[in-house]
Amino acid sequence: MTANTFAGAASHSVTKWHQINWAAVHRNVRRLQARIVVRP
């Protein structure tokens, strides 16, 4: 499985909020949150 991930500081380009794939953003946030949680 290949995933496009972005890391680092945000770019200085203009963001068009209505063009953001919010479902993909939500999935990425949930994935990162799961990595942060300490699992037994």
Side-chain angles (χ1 to χ4, degrees):
M1 181 170 143
T2 307
N4 291 330
T5 57
F6 300 97
S11 69
H12 294 290
S13 64
V14 176
T15 302
K16 295 181 181 177
W17 293 99
H18 64 280
Q19 292 181 339
I20 294 174
N21 182 348
W22 291 106
V25 171
H26 186 261
R27 282 191 306 270
N28 197 31
V29 168
R30 297 296 285 177
R31 180 184 62 82
L32 292 171
Q33 287 174 334
R35 287 181 58 186
I36 292 168
V37 173
V38 178
R39 298 180 191 168

